[in-house]
Amino acid sequence: MSPSARKSESDLGPAFRALLQGFGAVFVVALAIMLTGCVRHEPKADLVLINGTEPESLDPAICTGQPDGRVAAGLFEGLTRLDPVTAAPSPGIAERWEISPDGLRYRFFLRTNALWSTGEPITSEDVVYSWRRVIDPATAADYAGQLYYVKNGEPISTGKIKDLTQLGVRAVHPHLVEVELENPTAFFLELCAFRTLAVVPRQTIEKYGDRWLMAKPLPTSGCYTLESWRVNDKVRLRKNPKHWDAANILNEVVDLVHLESANTALNLFETGQADVIWDKTLIPMELMDVLKHRPSTHFFSYLATYFVRFNVTRPPFNDVRVRQALAMSVDKVRIATHIMQGGEKPASTLVPPGTANYAGPEGLPYDPERARQLLAEAGYPGGKGFPSFHYLFNTAKQHEQVAVELQQMWKKELGIQLELRNTEWKVYLADQSAVNFDLSRSAWVGDYNDANTFLDMFMSNNGNNRTGWKNSRYDELMRKANAMTDLKQRASLLSQAEKILVFDESPILPLFYYAGITFYDPDRIEGIHANLLDEHAIYPIRKKPKTPGVPAGRK
C-alpha cells in the first residue's frame, strides 16, 4: 500500500469513534486501573504487547500455545534462533555449525560468551540435558516429536528405550555439541530454533522441580529475564545484560498483557496503553471494514490453518462416514468471508498453499446432499437418533462465532444438534490434550516452512495428535517421506499421507487458512516484520527515537 492510499484514523469519522467507545469502555477503565493503579509504583514498560490468553506455562518444553511460546522464546534460546526479518534459522547459542556430507551429523560450536543471566557459562552439557528432558516420557512434552529426527528420539519417547543417554546428542567438550540424526532432515536447523529445544537451567530445575520457574533469580538463556508473572494480568520481562547479543536488545522492559476480549484490547491500543496487538482474535471483526483501512492495521500471509478435531474414540465419531458427513455439510466460504472478514481462504487441506516444495491433495468437497446420504448410511437418516454432542472452544468472540455457525449449518443440513462448550485457555488445552471432547476447535501455525510441520502431528505417537486417530499407512508414508532427499518423491509421499488425513479418514475438518493481522502504529514502532511463520522476536522491537522538531504521539 502506497503512503497516499493510507487513510488517517482521524478521518474515520464520529461513527467509528462512537462505536469504539461503545465497545468495552467499562473494561478499559477497569483494565487501566489494573495496569496502572494496582502497580502504581512500577515504572512504565518500554513496550506493552497485547499477547492474548493467560499462558498455560512458560516452560519451553511444556508450552504449546502462541501466547505461552512468545514469552518462553524471550526467556530461553536454542542453538539457533530465527532471524527477525526472514524467520530463517540464524546462529543462537551456537555461533556456527558443520554438517556432514551425508546430512546425518551436526557439530554445533557454542559461543564462549554465551552466559546464563546469572553469569555462569552455558555449556554443551546444558544443551544435552535440555534435549533429554524434552524426550523423557516423564516430562510429557507434547512437542517431544521435534526430537524424533534425532537418533533414538522416538523409541525413547515411546518407552521402547529407557536410557536417555541413547539419544543422539552428546557433549564433545564444553563448547561443542554433536548431534546424530535418523535421516537427513532439511528443516533440522529450524527445529533447533524452536522453543521446545531451548536451553534450560538444569541445576534450578533439579532443585525446584515443577516450581523451577518461580526461582529467584531464575537463570535464563534468552534475551530477557523474568521480572514478574502476574496471573490474569501480565508477564514483565527485563533485558538480560549477560546475553551474548545484549547490544542489540533494543528495549529494557517489556510487558506482555493477558486478556481475551477483543474490544478491551482495541481500547487499550486506542488509548495508548498498549503498543502492539499480536493476534487477530483480539481484533473485533465487526469493525474490520473500518479498521482495515488504517495504517496501524498490517496484513500478512503466513502458514496457519483453522480446523476441527474429531475425537475418533467416541461414537458416533468413530465412524468415518459420520466425520465425512459433517465435513461435507460445512459452507467454508461463508465462514471464511462472512465470519472472519480478514482475508481468510476456505480450506480443504491442512497444509496451507504456499508451503515450500509441496502441493496438497484435493480435500472433501462441500456437498450437503452427499453428506446426508453418508449420515443415513451410518444409521442416522435425517439426523434421527444422532446423539447430542459438544464442541470445545476457548474464550474468544471469533471462536464463538465460528462455533455458532457450525451449529446452525449442521442443524440445517443434517438435522443434528451441537452443544457449545466454551472454556478458558488452560482448561481448553488440558481437555484437548486429554482428548476430552467430541469435537474441538483447533489451529496450527507452521513451526517451519515445510509440510511436515503440519502433517507429523497426526502420526500415531505424536503428542499433538489429540484425536485418538492412528493409521499405520499414514505413519509409514510420513516416515518414508522424511527419509527421502528427492524433493518431488518426498512431496508425493506427503501428499498421499495428507489425502488419508483430510479425505479418506477425516479425523480433522479443515475450515480456513488464516490471514495474519497485527496492530501497531508504524510511525511509533519499528522492528516488526511479517513472515510466513508469524514469529516475531521481541528484542528488535522498539519505539522509534523522537526526531527533533517533530511532535511525538499516535496518529
Side-chain angles (χ1 to χ4, degrees), residues 1 5-20 23 266 270 283-299 341 519:
M1 178 183 294
R6 288 182 175 175
K7 187 174 184 180
S8 168
E9 293 167 16
S10 62
D11 294 339
L12 293 173
F16 171 77
R17 290 195 293 275
L19 186 58
L20 187 60
F23 277 106
L266 185 59
E270 290 297 314
I283 298 172
M285 285 294 106
E286 57 271 41
L287 298 179
M288 187 50 67
D289 282 345
V290 176
L291 296 174
K292 66 184 179 184
H293 297 294
R294 300 172 61 178
S296 54
T297 306
H298 305 268
F299 293 90
Q341 303 183 49
F519 256 53

Side-chain angles (χ1 to χ4, degrees), residues 306-386:
Y306 195 106
F307 61 99
V308 176
R309 280 180 164 93
F310 292 102
N311 179 353
V312 305
T313 68
R314 289 183 181 178
F317 306 106
N318 57 349
D319 187 329
V320 65
R321 295 169 297 184
V322 170
R323 301 195 296 268
Q324 290 176 333
L326 267 65
M328 296 173 72
S329 55
V330 172
D331 184 351
K332 301 173 185 178
V333 174
R334 174 172 170 74
I335 291 176
T337 58
H338 293 271
I339 303 300
M340 298 307 295
Q341 303 183 49
E344 284 75 8
K345 303 294 183 187
S348 61
T349 60
L350 180 63
V351 182
T355 303
N357 305 309
Y358 184 71
E362 293 291 329
L364 290 169
Y366 174 51
D367 188 345
E369 182 57 35
R370 177 58 182 152
R372 286 186 282 272
Q373 291 174 3
L374 284 166
L375 201 65
E377 291 171 11
Y380 307 102
K384 186 177 181 180
F386 198 90

Side-chain angles (χ1 to χ4, degrees), residues 93-114:
I93 289 176
E95 62 181 351
R96 64 185 179 90
W97 49 84
E98 296 173 349
I99 307 173
S100 65
D102 61 6
L104 293 177
R105 291 182 184 276
Y106 284 64
R107 289 163 62 87
F108 291 96
F109 298 86
L110 274 55
R111 300 174 188 275
T112 55
N113 64 340

